[in-house]
Amino acid sequence: MVPSMTEPGPASASLILLGAILSLSILADAVASRTRLPRISLLVLVGLGVAVVQQWWLAQPDARPLDGLGEPLIQVALVMVAFLLGGELTAERLRTTGPLILIVSLSVIVVGALAVGAGLLALGFPLAVAVSLAAISVATDPAAVQETIHAGGDTRLRARVLLGIVAIDDGWGILVFGLAMAALGWALSGDGQLALLEAAWELGGALALGALVGLPAAWLTGRLAPGEPTRVEAIALILLLAGLSSWLGVSSLLAAMVTGALVANLSRHHTRSFNEIEHIEWPFLVFFFVLSGASVDLLHLDESLGLILAYVLLRLAGRLLGGLLGVRLARVRQAELPRDIGLALTPQAGVAMGMALLAAEHFPAHGTALLSAVVTSTLVFETIGPMLVRRVLR
């Protein structure tokens, strides 16, 4: 006798959806390998497809894919990214990057953030939206820039400068975002003293947690033979950072970046923790990109079109002007750089969307606008970004 079919329970539905998302990611990889479409954009489009089914077809505008499982998956993916970014901030790398890269990088960051923040405020958008997007605009997608440069085989100074900038750019972005969230919490709170204490805890607590996890990890990890023990160590670090930062109410991105930097600088005996995380990172990023796309409120997307257009144009203008200033300052050192080098730093992906999700949690009243602006602009920047990189290199 064939058992009667019933609707799947929450656990079964979540497992089926996880499997379907990973299966679609394989299809996205196949499409990306045969076209010039970035796979991150394809995964975000898959998420938007999920949103279309839930919000329009099933008429469930408030439903969230995977229910309570989505938030931990996103948190783990963000912590992995921040930990790997921290691993790039070694003393040796910062010495070899040199002042030229720091000059251009800081010029693009400062001018770009000011252009986005001041521009949005001048257009009448709320302070929380303007400052959040200004901080988010700092982040760059290093993978898109690196892949485009390596595909062209360019080894000139401009290519080396771009590679050096994107290696540290998201680290700057996390610092700027943490400071911006703390400053906004203080500025928008009625109780300034309490808000200042909360901001100090969010930043100072993140530094303390990163040191508390990172210092013993730098000595303990990698002592066993390579393989599964090291993989377990790496996963343990990520889960501890994600769980403790959420419990303590501190910045998970900053805590993970501090831990990664400590392990990279103090752990002279191995680099395997970073390698193991890189091996397991992609499935979590798949869930992250798809769930980010699925989080967009399509029913109110038209209300955010003005913000989306303003953010895209202001970020492009800020990158261009920041690059112009950086090249002008660097020319004192006789650096042969193109004046539009800032446009090569246009691609934006995972870290920016992670910041948008965190900003939406901080300011739920503006969450829909922030997520819509960043997720939609990510599709634009990931599509035109590689073309702008090739233009600058050419």
Side-chain angles (χ1 to χ4, degrees):
M1 182 178 177
V2 180
S4 60
M5 297 291 288
T6 60
E7 284 198 17
S12 302
S14 295
L15 290 173
I16 293 169
L17 185 54
L18 288 173
I21 289 173
L22 288 178
S23 300
L24 288 171
S25 76
I26 299 171
L27 177 62
D29 275 340
V31 172
S33 64
R34 288 166 173 77
T35 65
R36 290 194 172 185
L37 294 173
R39 61 178 180 174
I40 290 173
S41 296
L42 293 173
L43 291 173
V44 175
L45 288 174
V46 170
L48 289 172
V50 173
V52 168
V53 171
Q54 280 202 319
Q55 297 176 29
W56 286 353
W57 186 24
L58 299 179
Q60 297 175 347
D62 297 326
R64 301 194 62 175
L66 300 176
D67 294 324
L69 188 59
E71 187 176 341
L73 285 173
I74 289 173
Q75 186 81 350
V76 168
L78 288 175
V79 169
M80 283 184 175
V81 170
F83 180 77
L84 292 174
L85 285 173
E88 300 289 335
L89 301 179
T90 61
E92 181 181 357
R93 176 184 284 274
L94 293 176
R95 277 197 303 270
T96 56
T97 15
L100 176 60
I101 290 172
L102 288 177
I103 288 172
V104 178
S105 175
L106 289 173
S107 296
V108 172
I109 286 170
V110 173
V111 175
L114 287 175
V116 173
L120 291 177
L121 282 175
L123 291 172
F125 291 101
L127 178 66
V129 172
V131 175
S132 296
L133 288 177
I136 291 168
S137 71
V138 171
T140 306
D141 178 16
V145 178
Q146 289 169 354
E147 287 173 9
T148 306
I149 291 174
H150 293 323
D154 198 327
T155 57
R156 291 173 297 168
L157 175 64
R158 62 186 64 186
R160 296 198 305 273
V161 168
L162 283 174
L163 290 173
I165 290 173
V166 297
I168 59 175
D169 219 21
D170 279 347
W172 290 127
I174 289 172
L175 289 173
V176 171
F177 180 76
L179 291 171
M181 291 299 99
L184 275 175
W186 174 77
L188 299 176
S189 172
D191 188 342
Q193 186 175 3
L194 178 61
L196 192 61
L197 289 174
E198 289 177 351
W201 170 246
E202 184 172 353
L203 296 177
L207 295 175
L209 176 60
L212 188 66
V213 176
L215 289 174
W219 187 83
L220 292 171
T221 57
R223 298 288 179 182
L224 301 172
E228 190 171 335
T230 308
R231 187 170 295 121
V232 172
E233 293 168 358
I235 295 173
L237 279 179
I238 296 303
L239 294 178
L240 280 172
L241 286 167
L244 288 172
S245 59
S246 177
W247 176 47
L248 296 172
V250 301
S251 170
S252 58
L253 295 178
L254 188 56
M257 194 173 73
V258 170
T259 299
L262 287 173
V263 172
N265 284 283
L266 301 179
S267 180
R268 302 292 184 185
H269 57 285
H270 84 108
T271 58
R272 292 198 297 272
S273 289
F274 297 102
N275 296 334
E276 295 300 338
I277 289 176
E278 286 173 351
H279 292 156
I280 63 174
E281 178 190 28
W282 181 244
F284 289 93
L285 289 179
V286 167
F287 297 133
F288 169 71
F289 290 125
V290 172
L291 292 174
S292 297
S295 65
V296 174
D297 186 351
L298 298 175
L299 300 177
H300 299 92
L301 184 60
D302 57 334
E303 299 173 8
S304 304
L305 288 180
L307 176 61
I308 295 167
L309 181 61
Y311 175 64
V312 169
L313 294 178
L314 287 169
R315 185 170 184 269
L316 286 172
R319 299 263 128 173
L320 177 61
L321 294 174
L324 286 171
L325 177 62
V327 169
R328 183 175 291 275
L329 294 174
R331 287 224 165 134
V332 177
R333 302 173 180 273
Q334 282 134 17
E336 297 177 2
L337 297 175
R339 291 164 58 84
D340 58 353
I341 191 171
L343 290 177
L345 301 171
T346 297
Q348 187 173 53
V351 172
M353 287 198 287
M355 291 176 182
L357 289 166
L358 295 176
E361 290 180 10
H362 274 79
F363 310 108
H366 306 294
T368 298
L370 289 169
L371 286 172
S372 298
V374 175
V375 172
T376 308
S377 64
T378 292
L379 297 173
V380 177
F381 291 137
E382 282 293 287
T383 302
I384 68 172
M387 293 187 289
L388 291 173
V389 175
R390 286 192 290 270
R391 180 183 182 279
V392 169
L393 292 177
R394 188 167 62 241

